[in-house]
Amino acid sequence: MKTSANIKRLLASLVLGSGLAYGATAADVKENWTTHCAACHGKDGRGQTKAGRMAGVKDQTDAAYQGTLKDDKMFTSVKEGLKEGDKEKMKPFKEKLSDDDIKALVAFVRTLKK
């Protein structure tokens, strides 16, 4: 069990480190997540916030769900936002976050997988 936890930490640091290659520090990524994502997705990524439940946010820690996500689609969703018909499910962040910031957030989301 300890080995599994150590492997997860190593993988998380590698993935988060890949976000650093985009020019964002670990503190930047964490701040961006807290500022722009956590209200709906939760600090832990499970989406169990009032806003997250109302919007039907998916559990970003769920390995099966993450397996359905493609990095480029996540990037576009963060940048351009998400709509369901005329209803905005997630606002766009293209005016608030750089492409590098968004790439780093995508890498961070990968670290949330159980």
Side-chain angles (χ1 to χ4, degrees), residues 1-29:
M1 203 66 167
K2 274 189 172 182
T3 303
S4 177
N6 289 337
I7 290 171
K8 284 182 182 179
R9 275 192 221 100
L10 174 63
L11 289 173
S13 67
L14 290 172
V15 172
L16 186 55
S18 70
L20 301 180
Y22 297 116
T25 67
D28 292 336
V29 175

Side-chain angles (χ1 to χ4, degrees), residues 5-77:
N6 289 337
I7 290 171
K8 284 182 182 179
R9 275 192 221 100
L10 174 63
L11 289 173
S13 67
L14 290 172
V15 172
L16 186 55
S18 70
L20 301 180
Y22 297 116
T25 67
D28 292 336
V29 175
K30 187 75 165 172
E31 182 178 337
N32 282 335
W33 178 264
T34 300
T35 302
H36 302 293
C37 309
C40 293
H41 291 282
K43 289 182 183 179
D44 61 1
R46 293 180 52 234
Q48 295 302 306
T49 65
K50 183 178 180 180
R53 287 189 296 274
M54 287 175 51
V57 170
K58 304 290 186 201
D59 182 352
Q60 303 297 312
T61 69
D62 181 348
Y65 174 67
Q66 277 222 19
T68 69
L69 295 174
K70 303 293 181 216
D71 288 356
D72 59 336
K73 181 160 173 50
M74 278 197 287
F75 176 89
T76 300
S77 296

